[in-house]
Amino acid sequence: MNLNINFNNTYSSLPEQFYERINPEHFAAPKLIVFNQKLATELNIGWQETTDQELAEIFSGNKILPGSEPLAQAYAGFQFGNLVPQLGDGRAHLLGEVAGFDIQLKGSGQTRFSRRGDGRSALGPVLREYIVSEAMHVLGVPTTRSLCAVSTGEEVYRQDGPEPGGILTRVAKSHIRVGTFQYFAFKNDLESLEALLNYTIDRHYPELAAKNKKDQALGLIDKLIELQSDLIAQWTSLGFIHGVMNTDNFSMAGITIDYGPCAFLDEFKFDKVFSSIDRHGRYSFFNQVPIAKWNIFRLAECFIPFIDENTDQAIALLEKNLGEPLEFFDFKRMKALAKKMGISDYQTSDEKLVTQFLEYLEKESLDFTLAFRELKNLYHSPSDFFPKSQEFDEFQSLWKNRVKNVDELDQINPLYIPRNHLIQKAIDEAYTGNFDFFHRLNEVLTHPFSEKTECEEFALPPKPSERVYQTFCGT
Ligand code: AMP
Ligand code: MG
């Protein structure tokens, strides 16, 4: 019995310069690893009558369902600050939209945007994205989601030799990026730029539809500032480092997109970097705020033609308009961290206390997640978790005087997050053909805030032998 998906194809009704129409490649022996029944049901996908093998054929792209119009999207971007006029989906196929959400295969073969890439994905990054994106969703972070993961039965060649291939089915509010606007802006294709602006507003920000072009452009920038500043505050409060905040990975819908070399902090460090390719720390933990602002400016540049025919005046207006809203990024990040300390009515004067705590964590190399989780205990009784020092005593007394809602903290500070070594263990075991730990980890991450005695190992930081020092794009 076929899977029942009611596809809509709004992106494919955009002009042809927005994409390449292309089907996924054929894969030798796809096998189902996981199908997210809950998400499928939310999307109104009738899956109950479909066998695992049929799901594997569909979500490897071997079988194209009726109504699907596969395409690879065009986009550009600044990668590590360098302009790349054409990137695009080099290994992804949008199958269509369901209930307003994109259904996209990732790792499904070459397209005209593949450049030198093989169009494929190794299984490791597929499992990583599945675990992390679903965990982020449970933690309340706007994100792409994962509907399905399959192995392809083929090998892909990466830096350490052959690895099993995999394909992820990604679900997103959309895959429009700042880089999608840049693609047309770099070409000076104003007609397409305007079509994209209209499409983005229709799809995500219909409240801007009635405005003139200039106000639509300014309004869209404001919306993005609002959503992205919330998003990055949430990342910060979980110790999440995205790892590649290039403009092509910066969503116009304000969601987390592209889980490549992402990672969660174990011990706290302001400028922590995991990604092997981030040599200068451009995308380090605390640099995510300045980089997000930088990305917003890159979007604003695309809109110059809509703002004023005089470029200098347009830039002056944008700079004036953006200055104040961009401060939200810093404010919301601090507010989110303060909330984790039980300060629910954050004032800018609290920044000192928050920073004092973080500096102490850094100095003592304490685990970020567990340190915040321990604050509730610290409030009620002495805690062995925190090494004693003069700084600590000083912090403790200031904090105890300031804290408000300490008893709510177990709902704010998770105990179980997708720690790097847990993800690595799930991948290592999967590479031997055993998916038990992968499934178990996904299950534990469905209740990040509720402690369960049988889940103790999932709350612990890595042992020295388990520590992950670097993460890779896996591309
Ligand atoms: P990412 O680092 O995954 O955001 O990808 C950056 C760009 O490289 C995008 O245009 C991807 O489609 C492309 N890309 C990444 N990996 C591959 C691959 N294995 N084959 C073809 N294109 C790829
Ligand atoms: Mg990307």
Side-chain angles (χ1 to χ4, degrees):
M1 175 85 183
N2 247 337
L3 192 69
N4 182 7
I5 302 189
N6 222 340
F7 280 112
N8 210 336
N9 297 290
T10 64
Y11 211 84
S12 108
S13 59
L14 284 165
E16 62 181 11
Q17 60 273 23
F18 279 72
Y19 47 76
E20 178 193 21
R21 287 191 194 282
I22 182 166
N23 279 355
E25 285 180 46
H26 195 274
F27 290 87
K31 260 175 72 182
L32 185 69
I33 295 167
V34 58
F35 179 69
N36 189 338
Q37 297 179 345
K38 208 162 154 243
L39 176 58
T41 305
E42 281 170 39
L43 292 169
N44 249 326
I45 295 175
W47 51 270
Q48 287 81 353
E49 312 272 316
T50 316
T51 65
D52 284 4
Q53 197 44 46
E54 283 166 336
L55 289 171
E57 293 294 328
I58 292 164
F59 293 111
S60 61
N62 277 0
K63 185 173 164 42
I64 298 299
L65 292 175
S68 164
E69 295 174 10
L71 58 84
Q73 293 179 328
Y75 52 84
F78 274 93
Q79 297 192 304
F80 289 91
N82 303 308
L83 189 155
V84 186
Q86 181 175 300
L87 289 159
D89 290 333
R91 53 163 175 168
H93 293 78
L94 177 66
L95 297 179
E97 299 131 38
V98 175
F101 286 87
D102 282 2
I103 309 287
Q104 189 204 57
L105 302 182
K106 188 172 170 189
S108 43
Q110 286 177 317
T111 73
R112 99 175 147 81
F113 306 109
S114 299
R115 296 175 292 161
R116 288 185 305 281
D118 62 2
R120 284 159 166 71
S121 178
L123 186 57
V126 167
L127 300 180
R128 169 185 290 272
E129 178 154 356
Y130 191 99
I131 296 165
V132 181
S133 66
E134 285 303 298
M136 292 286 264
H137 173 72
V138 173
L139 288 160
V141 183
T143 176
T144 58
R145 297 197 58 192
S146 296
L147 180 63
C148 191
V150 301
S151 56
T152 59
E154 296 179 6
E155 284 182 334
V156 298
Y157 293 84
R158 295 295 181 262
Q159 59 259 34
D160 295 330
E163 293 185 43
I167 298 174
L168 181 80
T169 306
R170 181 155 82 170
V171 174
K173 262 172 110 173
S174 83
H175 286 86
I176 310 169
R177 310 136 191 273
V178 165
T180 320
F181 283 92
Q182 291 179 312
Y183 181 74
F184 297 115
F186 294 160
K187 287 179 191 295
N188 226 342
D189 177 354
L190 290 190
E191 206 177 308
S192 302
L193 197 63
E194 191 170 333
L196 181 61
L197 179 65
N198 292 338
Y199 180 85
T200 306
I201 286 176
D202 277 355
R203 187 159 174 182
H204 297 305
Y205 309 104
E207 61 277 25
L208 299 176
K211 297 187 185 293
N212 64 35
K213 278 284 145 306
K214 175 180 168 184
D215 289 338
Q216 284 185 336
L218 293 173
L220 186 51
I221 296 169
D222 278 343
K223 292 274 176 197
L224 201 65
I225 291 176
E226 188 187 323
L227 295 180
Q228 286 284 356
S229 55
D230 283 336
L231 182 67
I232 288 161
Q234 281 184 286
W235 289 0
T236 306
S237 73
L238 295 168
F240 176 76
I241 308 172
H242 181 283
V244 245
M245 288 175 67
N246 293 333
T247 55
D248 52 298
N249 293 334
F250 204 73
S251 155
M252 288 301 301
I255 57 176
T256 315
I257 182 168
D258 263 12
Y259 293 91
C262 66
F264 288 83
L265 287 173
D266 293 306
E267 76 281 359
F268 178 73
K269 195 165 173 243
F270 283 98
D271 59 0
K272 182 72 187 174
V273 172
F274 284 97
S275 168
S276 62
I277 53 172
D278 189 2
R279 290 193 192 88
H280 305 291
R282 180 178 171 90
Y283 300 134
S284 74
F285 183 59
F286 241 56
N287 219 33
Q288 297 186 116
V289 157
I291 284 295
K293 295 183 192 176
W294 191 87
N295 287 349
I296 298 276
F297 271 113
R298 302 292 78 76
L299 175 71
E301 280 165 1
C302 297
F303 292 156
I304 286 174
F306 301 135
I307 308 285
D308 199 306
E309 34 187 60
N310 178 318
T311 302
D312 290 341
Q313 281 183 15
I315 292 173
L317 180 90
L318 283 167
E319 281 179 347
K320 182 168 140 289
N321 271 30
L322 294 195
E324 207 177 302
L326 284 176
E327 306 268 307
F328 280 134
F329 277 97
D330 305 83
F331 180 81
K332 288 184 186 171
R333 172 168 67 182
M334 275 298 156
K335 188 175 169 189
L337 288 164
K339 192 170 160 207
K340 286 174 75 65
M341 295 167 65
I343 300 170
S344 49
D345 57 342
Y346 176 73
Q347 317 284 318
T348 38
S349 52
D350 293 316
E351 185 173 339
K352 211 169 142 223
L353 187 62
V354 175
T355 307
Q356 201 177 355
F357 184 55
L358 293 177
E359 282 171 351
Y360 165 75
L361 295 186
E362 176 162 28
K363 188 165 172 211
E364 300 288 352
S365 296
L366 293 181
D367 186 83
F368 180 80
T369 301
L370 293 184
F372 280 97
R373 183 82 180 186
E374 186 65 16
L375 283 176
K376 187 180 139 189
N377 294 339
L378 177 69
Y379 186 79
H380 294 294
S381 53
S383 162
D384 291 340
F385 180 90
F386 296 105
K388 303 292 165 282
S389 67
Q390 201 188 329
E391 285 110 316
F392 180 71
D393 288 342
E394 201 184 296
F395 159 75
Q396 195 178 188
S397 65
L398 288 171
W399 173 68
K400 283 188 175 168
N401 280 328
R402 177 66 183 90
V403 66
K404 282 267 160 62
N405 51 338
V406 82
D407 289 322
E408 288 163 29
L409 283 181
D410 280 356
Q411 300 313 311
I412 295 169
N413 295 324
L415 182 59
Y416 309 112
I417 55 156
R419 290 179 181 270
N420 311 318
H421 70 290
L422 299 175
I423 297 173
Q424 198 52 50
K425 184 171 171 191
I427 295 171
D428 289 346
E429 293 195 3
Y431 277 19
T432 70
N434 181 352
F435 291 90
D436 292 349
F437 191 77
F438 168 75
H439 292 302
R440 174 97 178 97
L441 177 57
N442 282 320
E443 203 277 316
V444 171
L445 293 170
T446 61
H447 57 82
F449 299 101
S450 337
E451 182 162 12
K452 296 198 180 169
T453 41
E454 71 276 17
C455 301
E456 198 190 340
E457 73 168 301
F458 294 89
L460 299 175
K463 300 188 191 100
S465 63
E466 296 172 324
R467 187 173 269 278
V468 173
Y469 292 97
Q470 259 195 339
T471 52
F472 301 89
C473 276
T475 52

